[in-house]
Amino acid sequence: MHVQRARAGGVLAITVVNMAAQGITVALLVPLLRVAGVPTSGGVVGAIDRGIQSAFHLVGLRPTLPAVLALFIAVAWAQAMLEHLELVQTTRLEQEIVRDLREALYGQLLAARWQFFTERRGSDLTHAVTRDTDRAGAAAGYLLRGMAQSASVVIYGVLAIAISPVASGIALAGGLLLALLLRPTLRSAHETGEALSSISADALALVTQHVDAIKLVKSYGAEARTLEAFQAVAARSAGSAVDATRAHARAHVVTIAGSATLLGAILFVAIETLHLDAATTLVLAFLFWRLVPRLMDVQQSIRFAVHELPGFEIVQRLLVASAAARETGAAVSTATPMTVRVDIAFDRVSFAYDATPVLDSASCVIPAGRITGFAGPSGSGKTTLVDLVLGLVMPTAGVI
């Protein structure tokens, strides 16, 4: 946990430095416009230009075209390296989350009572420890990337507000409207994510069951029927994937179209209504040109995180359930082999799985030092008797 916090702090620090680098690249656009002959003396843009000139003079340099371009390229390279480092550290943190979830869940399962396992498909537990923990890590990764992308939105937004509060206010209002339009897509992403979890678990259960019983399948010539059952699940899985992609694509279309409309409205207001000068308009256009794709990235990261979130929810439910079903007493690893020297007697023992009775006031004696077998039809309670002897489950009534 401490390592994860430190790594998360490192990712945050990289994000902050990256934000500063992005602000510098935008600011360096102003002297480039001046060198190209575009007037930059007025308003916030003029203040940025004068500040950069002062910074150059402070280190004994003149803000010529080669000098400004060299600094711009250097900052762009530094920003690219920071984004590379941020991606690697985010992925590493994501995998550490997956590992910790996996180890926690597996440890809880090992400590759970036997009855906990009899109430669930073994393949569902396997799916949770493997596939669902992967999805939980993916959700965390998307959220981390969304936070980093949001940092870029903040820095570009602050610069835009400083240059033109009116145009930025229009952008903010349009962004909020776009977020409201996209809100139903988050619910759809979660629903398709739940469907994917359910279908994936069913597919694993079916394959596990068929592979474990492959001898019976071949003995009864049931290959065709088994294949048909698998094809039905595979078709459901493919359909679920298509539904998820369709939902993501629909949201993407709305995001692109809405962003383009918003950008056009901002530029129209800047030129026709606010009558901003050329340098201010160009810098503002550049800011929103960089801002709009990042808004799209943030929205997409959140949507993908919500789509993967059901995996995390499944893992959390199992962690809570297995903790509630934790065995009491000494761990299995400290148990010593038992030698039975006295008879084992069942005195009016009853047992039920939830509301389904299996044994009702059963009484019998298992003699010590002898081999005893239980015979009876399927479902008569033979396995339950053995589980009771081993202490894997406890009777609901009676004494052993």
Side-chain angles (χ1 to χ4, degrees):
M1 183 63 71
H2 293 296
V3 174
Q4 288 181 9
R5 289 177 179 173
R7 200 176 299 283
V11 171
L12 179 60
I14 295 170
T15 300
V16 171
V17 176
N18 196 15
M19 287 173 61
Q22 292 176 30
I24 293 172
T25 57
V26 175
L28 288 174
L29 180 64
V30 177
L32 289 176
L33 290 174
R34 176 177 49 77
V35 172
V38 179
T40 59
S41 58
V44 176
V45 172
I48 293 174
D49 190 20
R50 291 189 293 273
I52 292 176
Q53 290 186 58
S54 299
F56 269 90
H57 292 147
L58 190 63
V59 295
L61 295 174
R62 294 178 57 237
T64 59
L65 179 61
V68 174
L69 282 176
L71 181 57
F72 182 87
I73 292 171
V75 174
W77 270 92
Q79 186 180 340
M81 296 301 294
L82 285 169
E83 289 179 354
H84 170 269
L85 184 60
E86 183 180 298
L87 178 61
V88 171
Q89 292 301 318
T90 300
T91 302
R92 187 169 293 166
L93 180 59
E94 174 185 331
Q95 291 305 310
E96 287 176 356
I97 291 172
V98 171
R99 183 199 63 201
D100 288 352
L101 274 177
R102 200 167 273 166
E103 290 177 356
L105 179 57
Y106 199 71
Q108 289 278 53
L109 292 177
L110 289 176
R113 293 191 299 269
W114 175 248
Q115 190 170 346
F116 173 85
F117 296 94
T118 64
E119 297 167 349
R120 291 165 176 83
R121 296 186 304 191
S123 60
D124 287 346
L125 302 179
T126 301
H127 192 273
V129 173
T130 54
R131 178 70 180 123
D132 288 324
T133 51
D134 278 337
R135 295 189 67 195
Y142 283 126
L143 286 176
L144 288 170
R145 293 182 186 97
M147 291 171 59
Q149 292 155 354
S150 297
S152 298
V153 171
V154 169
I155 190 66
Y156 288 130
V158 169
L159 289 172
I161 291 172
I163 293 172
S164 177
V166 176
S168 301
I170 295 172
L172 178 61
L176 292 175
L177 178 60
L178 190 59
L180 288 175
L181 291 174
L182 290 170
R183 187 176 178 181
T185 65
L186 295 179
R187 184 168 56 252
S188 176
H190 190 269
E191 290 172 353
T192 56
E194 287 182 325
L196 180 62
S197 291
S198 176
I199 294 170
S200 179
D202 287 346
L204 179 61
L206 186 68
V207 171
T208 302
Q209 177 186 351
H210 288 171
V211 171
D212 289 344
I214 194 66
K215 184 176 181 180
L216 289 175
V217 170
K218 290 184 170 296
S219 299
Y220 286 94
E223 292 92 343
R225 187 166 66 251
T226 300
L227 179 59
E228 288 177 2
F230 177 76
Q231 288 172 335
V233 174
R236 286 175 57 209
S237 178
S240 176
V242 171
D243 289 342
T245 302
R246 184 182 294 111
H248 290 320
R250 189 183 303 118
H252 190 62
V253 168
V254 173
T255 304
I256 292 176
S259 300
T261 304
L262 181 60
L263 181 58
I266 292 169
L267 291 178
F268 179 84
V269 171
I271 296 171
E272 295 294 331
T273 304
L274 301 178
H275 304 292
L276 299 179
D277 58 72
T280 302
T281 302
L282 286 172
V283 172
L284 199 61
F286 176 79
L287 281 172
F288 285 111
W289 174 70
R290 298 291 297 270
L291 179 61
V292 167
R294 279 159 177 76
L295 281 171
M296 294 168 57
D297 291 341
V298 170
Q299 200 277 335
Q300 180 173 276
S301 293
I302 294 174
R303 192 169 65 249
F304 284 169
V306 171
H307 178 70
E308 301 293 350
L309 192 58
F312 177 77
E313 293 169 347
I314 290 171
V315 172
Q316 285 299 111
R317 285 197 296 267
L318 273 177
L319 281 171
V320 172
S322 57
R326 188 178 181 86
E327 286 183 323
T328 57
V332 174
S333 59
T334 62
T336 56
M338 181 178 65
T339 301
V340 180
R341 295 187 174 88
V342 296
D343 297 346
I344 299 175
F346 283 69
D347 184 14
R348 296 187 295 273
V349 172
S350 298
F351 181 79
Y353 291 105
D354 293 330
T356 305
V358 179
L359 296 176
D360 184 16
S361 298
S363 297
C364 66
V365 176
I366 303 174
R370 298 179 60 183
I371 297 175
T372 301
F374 295 107
S378 178
S380 60
K382 303 183 298 297
T383 303
T384 302
L385 276 173
V386 176
D387 291 343
L388 286 164
V389 170
L390 295 175
L392 295 176
V393 293
M394 301 302 293
T396 56
V399 178
I400 303 176

